[in-house]
Amino acid sequence: MSDDARNAILQRLEAAVPRPLPSRPALPPAPEKALDRDRLQALFIDRLTEQAGVVYPVADPVALLETLARILAEEQVARAMVASDEVVAPLGLADRGRRHGVEMVTPADYPDRDRYVRAVFDDVQAGITGVDFAVAESGTLVLVHDARQARLISLAPLVHIAVLPAERIVPDYETAMAAIYAGECRPGQITFITGPSMTADIQGTPFKGMHGPQKLIVLLLTQT
Amino acid sequence: MPTVSLFIPCLVDLVLPRVGECTATLLSHLGCKPIYHSEQTCCGLMAFNGGHRDEARRLARRFIRVFEHDPLIVSPSGSCVHMVKQRYAELFADEPAWRARALALAPRVYELSQFVVDFLGVQDVGAADEVTVAYHESCSTLNALGVSAQPKALIRAVRGATLKEWQGADVCCGFGGTFANSFAPISSALVRQKVAFFLESGADLLVMCDPGCLLNIGGYLHRHHPDKQAMHLAQFLADRLPDGPARDAWS
Amino acid sequence: MELTTARFKETAQVELDNARTQKFLRLLPIRLSARRDAAYRSFADPEAAHAYGHAIRGEAIERLPELLKTFEANAEANGALVFWAADSDAANAYIVDLARRKGARYVTKGKSMITEELGLNDALAAAGITAWETDLGEFIAQLLEKPPFHIVGPAINIPVEQIRDIFMARGVLDTPTIDPVTLGRAARRFLRDKFRDLRMGVTGVNIAVADTGTVINVENEGNIRFNKSSPRTLVCVMSLEKVVPTMADALHMLRVLCRSATGQAAGAYITFDSGPRREGESDGPEELHIIVLDNGRSAMAADPHTREVLRCIRCGACLNACPVYGKVGGYPYGWAYSGPMGQVLTPALRGLADTGDLIRACTLCHRCKVICPAGIDHPATLLYYRHKDVQADPQMGGRGRSAMERLAYWGHAFVGSHPRLWRLFARIVRRVANRHAHDGTISRITRRTEGWFSSRDLPLLPQDTFHDRWRQGAAARKPRKEVSS
């Protein structure tokens, strides 16, 4: 019985005589906090690039859509799965894609979970998502998963294209997490993404796209 | 002229007495008065490392009784100093009176190079030789005592001597006390690797602060590379003092 | 998982003689150590960051019962189901039963040492359910039925030819190749099929956050994300010491964990799960089961020495720092955990009876202690285990040492307590040892010292000890000639 086990485990742990808690040394404030917006953005780009992410700064939504179209053509994407989050939803990608011969689908286009899962695994060559935060300290994208941000879109397709409004770049994890957890409802899942899927498990030979995306492309929207 | 009590490890006493003599010589040369308690035996390190704590305590109590009235205690062995300075407190965890005596003793115990550089404030002991030296960072000395800058400063200050930066300086030589015997294939692989690093360094001489490492590396060199030499820091410095090869401390 | 720690020396010898193992050991630990050092330098104050991590883990192990209760309450408030498992059998039975209820013919696993510890794959197999390892290295190790060689690269030492052959035999690969990338792609396709139709995934947990009821996993491949996103049922197994007080603490531990493990500022993917998917989400688990595993850890907490071992965050930095691991690799350590991490964990979890070599296979170099981001004093712990073993401590299953060894140490202490006897003893040792000398060198003494002399000589023991020389010098009060060098 779990309850019996629980009580027995806790009893044993409570019987252990606790020692004084160790004191914590002073940590200097994160140096990223002292950076202005431009330098924070530059740092984010550097750090993510080190981890094999590719960042394209784009000045405005028009430039963003042009760059996106170019990337989709380069990656030979015929169909892409798009999240419904507040960053990408307003871009009207479905219409745009049609004009460029790319079919844009969302999870809502599928009648049930199983068919959505099959589609995101097998039928799309790219996943396009917004980003909730980006963390400069490690070049990390933060995705908060909810009804508008499905988990598999940024994972199952071979290319993940993330749209990041520049003002969402924050210095450190703490800033992002404090904002996320400030809300009433805790998200079921938060994902930190720092580069494409990687492994070096065979002979130490590194390669990208082991299980998840082989390419992580960030469209950094510098003006909105 | 501080009086310094010599803490001579068993290994030095029995196998490497010259290291003890050179320690005394160096300290005399630097204006100290070395004294030696002839009733000292063993600090209990080997028993402690073997898990035989009753035996280690017996030896440690004796060590404390012999040395606890000395204001300064110096030993040419990083591992033995670590035992007395840092392990005694744990050894006597259940004996508050002895633990207190051990803790009172600990700050007065120094590894030789630590004593010369940190306590005496000397780096140039006045030695001279045209020689290229590689310094072996003995694990107890480096990782447990945090002593590394001191011996290197002493070597650098020897006139004519060159201290090599080399790959593998802080790699374990595989001694580990009884480990060297009971895990011989692993220990041998480690000392072989250590010596390979030393040979690559191109240095003439390998200098270190621990008699355990010296026995191990020296013993390996003797068998496989008899033209190469390993030496304790005390001997390296004392042999190169201006009045020629070291004289005894009490001369 | 079968415990093969008793064959430490035997397996170590095999690995010492294996040129391939030696080749990888010359590269991997050194490369990972260098990357770790470089990554640590990116901290504004590396020493403070290191010490801060020690303090978090030190606090966590003192507050375990309280933190676990808080974690449980918050995880349940998030909608997770928390199950407390006293031991491997209880955890395995829960997972097997759940898999059956969900109609899962197979489950996939994210890389986790904890499920190795449970022997979960065997338990599932016995119930007719296949467990697929999905981390590439673990997948290869599983197909070859090998334990992990290194916590970060479980199969990094396996020759490509061997991977090709097993992949061909198991239908992972269609056309033979030894190209690592093509082999990896084949594994991707094979495992992707498993993820797509997955009913139940199983992962470990890197960090659990008491304040938020969140479980956190770190990885680079994305297999854990698939395990957490694709199936409708997710099981996360956490050993009970994984809990930290706050999210801020977890974020700091993530920084030191990623840097210590792979030299990255952050792993490619870090997932924070607070309960199952919420209403309206397209994917993610409908049920999140969190198993809090004891398996001997609450007993470890009772003893302040073994409690210290519960600090461990399984980063593997100690493997890369360890000279012994650097010569023998992961196999000799004989259980889920290798290197110094295994040397402190395995004896505490599985007892001292079969781990006598594990606790002694250490040169006490202290590098593991210096590098440990959790603040474990591995050498002190091993010395404590040796002490318990000598005492034949019943709680830890200590065996006691041979009468010969006990007599030797007793004699050493007895003689060492009587200076005159000590001097006499020194003379006897000298006489015995020097009897074996040839040309001023001792190259063997007795069979008991064969190990030393297998690669090393001893100098002829000088005719007078330091003690003798000091006395003679004091008597003569004049310069003496060189005696020996």
Side-chain angles (χ1 to χ4, degrees), chain B residues 6 8 10 12-18 20-21 24 34-42 44 46-59 62 82 86-87 90 139-140 143-144 167 170-191 193 212 215-220 222-224 229 235 239 245-251, chain C residues 8-9 12-13 16 305 323-324 327-328 356-358 360-367 369-370 377 379-380 383-384 386-388 390 401 405-406 409-410 412-419 422-423 426-427 429-430 440-443 448-462 464-474 477-485:
Chain B
L6 297 173
I8 301 297
C10 350
V12 170
D13 185 46
L14 185 65
V15 190
L16 304 162
R18 277 280 289 142
E21 290 180 299
I35 60 165
Y36 172 73
H37 299 307
S38 62
E39 66 274 32
Q40 65 181 278
T41 57
C42 169
M46 205 167 91
F48 185 78
N49 286 355
H52 296 267
R53 294 205 176 175
D54 289 338
E55 286 74 12
R57 267 188 287 272
R58 192 167 177 186
L59 293 164
R62 173 175 185 82
H82 171 239
Q86 292 171 21
R87 294 274 184 231
E90 188 192 337
C139 299
S140 312
N143 298 321
Q167 198 201 344
D170 63 349
V171 170
C172 179
C173 74
F175 176 63
T178 53
F179 174 89
N181 192 52
S182 46
F183 292 87
I186 303 171
S187 174
S188 297
L190 287 168
V191 69
Q193 166 187 278
L215 217 57
N216 186 37
I217 298 173
Y220 185 88
H222 187 272
R223 170 128 4 138
H224 302 275
Q229 208 187 354
Q235 185 170 356
D239 277 355
R247 298 180 183 239
D248 290 318
W250 45 89
S251 60
Chain C
F8 182 93
K9 284 186 180 175
Q13 189 61 59
L16 281 166
H305 290 90
V324 175
K327 285 293 160 209
V328 302
D357 281 340
L358 223 52
R360 291 177 178 84
C362 170
T363 66
L364 301 172
C365 81
H366 284 72
R367 281 166 74 115
K369 177 190 174 182
V370 170
D377 188 340
L383 292 173
Y384 178 72
R386 294 179 191 179
H387 163 57
K388 288 285 165 187
V390 166
R401 301 298 283 171
E405 179 178 319
R406 277 182 289 129
Y409 279 100
W410 180 86
H412 171 68
F414 179 80
V415 172
S417 304
H418 299 86
W422 183 255
R423 303 293 152 213
R427 282 200 291 279
V429 169
R430 177 169 59 224
T441 302
I442 305 169
S443 298
R448 302 191 72 83
T449 56
E450 260 174 5
W452 173 271
F453 290 107
S454 65
S455 64
R456 293 152 286 222
D457 295 327
L458 269 186
L460 187 71
L461 302 194
D464 35 14
T465 61
F466 176 84
H467 178 90
D468 300 332
R469 293 181 188 194
W470 182 275
R471 286 187 51 187
Q472 290 154 14
R477 291 192 179 286
K478 61 179 186 193
R480 356 182 359 263
K481 293 274 177 268
E482 287 296 289
V483 180
S484 71
S485 57

Side-chain angles (χ1 to χ4, degrees), chain C residues 5 24 154 166 177 203 237 247 304 306 312 382 447:
Chain C
T5 45
F24 272 92
I166 193 75
T177 175
T203 74
V237 189
M247 183 58 80
T306 46
C312 179
L382 292 176
R447 284 206 52 196

Side-chain angles (χ1 to χ4, degrees), chain A residues 12 116 137 156 197 211, chain C residues 62 134 192 221 255 283 298:
Chain A
R12 280 194 295 272
Y116 148 70
E137 73 164 285
S197 160
H211 289 290
Chain C
E62 297 306 325
T134 58
R192 206 171 165 82
E221 293 187 1
R255 291 187 177 104
D283 46 25
S298 58

Side-chain angles (χ1 to χ4, degrees), chain B residues 2-78:
Chain B
T3 300
V4 177
S5 179
L6 297 173
F7 160 18
I8 301 297
C10 350
L11 214 52
V12 170
D13 185 46
L14 185 65
V15 190
L16 304 162
R18 277 280 289 142
V19 170
E21 290 180 299
C22 291
T23 302
T25 302
L26 188 66
L27 291 169
S28 312
H29 176 81
L30 296 173
C32 300
K33 178 171 184 279
I35 60 165
Y36 172 73
H37 299 307
S38 62
E39 66 274 32
Q40 65 181 278
T41 57
C42 169
C43 67
L45 170 70
M46 205 167 91
F48 185 78
N49 286 355
H52 296 267
R53 294 205 176 175
D54 289 338
E55 286 74 12
R57 267 188 287 272
R58 192 167 177 186
L59 293 164
R61 281 192 206 100
R62 173 175 185 82
F63 183 94
I64 293 171
R65 277 195 297 262
V66 169
F67 283 97
E68 69 185 336
H69 302 296
D70 296 324
L72 295 166
I73 301 142
V74 173
S75 178
S77 165

Side-chain angles (χ1 to χ4, degrees), chain A residues 75-93:
Chain A
E75 300 297 332
Q76 298 178 316
V77 175
R79 191 181 290 131
M81 180 83 75
V82 189
S84 325
D85 63 72
E86 73 225 27
V87 177
V88 289
L91 295 174
L93 290 182

Side-chain angles (χ1 to χ4, degrees), chain A residues 2-86:
Chain A
S2 180
D3 269 2
D4 293 347
R6 175 187 188 275
N7 295 338
I9 292 166
L10 286 172
Q11 246 168 35
R12 280 194 295 272
L13 290 174
E14 275 157 3
V17 183
R19 293 166 294 188
L21 300 185
S23 61
R24 298 196 179 184
L27 281 180
E32 294 83 7
K33 286 198 161 172
L35 301 180
D36 61 28
R37 291 235 56 94
D38 287 350
R39 289 169 65 191
L40 204 59
Q41 182 176 310
L43 181 67
F44 166 77
I45 295 172
D46 280 355
R47 292 275 154 87
L48 182 55
T49 307
E50 280 167 20
Q51 294 302 312
V54 179
V55 183
Y56 294 106
V58 286
D60 53 44
V62 175
L64 186 151
L65 292 170
E66 280 168 10
T67 310
L68 177 61
R70 185 169 54 78
I71 292 166
L72 292 172
E74 274 170 16
E75 300 297 332
Q76 298 178 316
V77 175
R79 191 181 290 131
M81 180 83 75
V82 189
S84 325
D85 63 72
E86 73 225 27

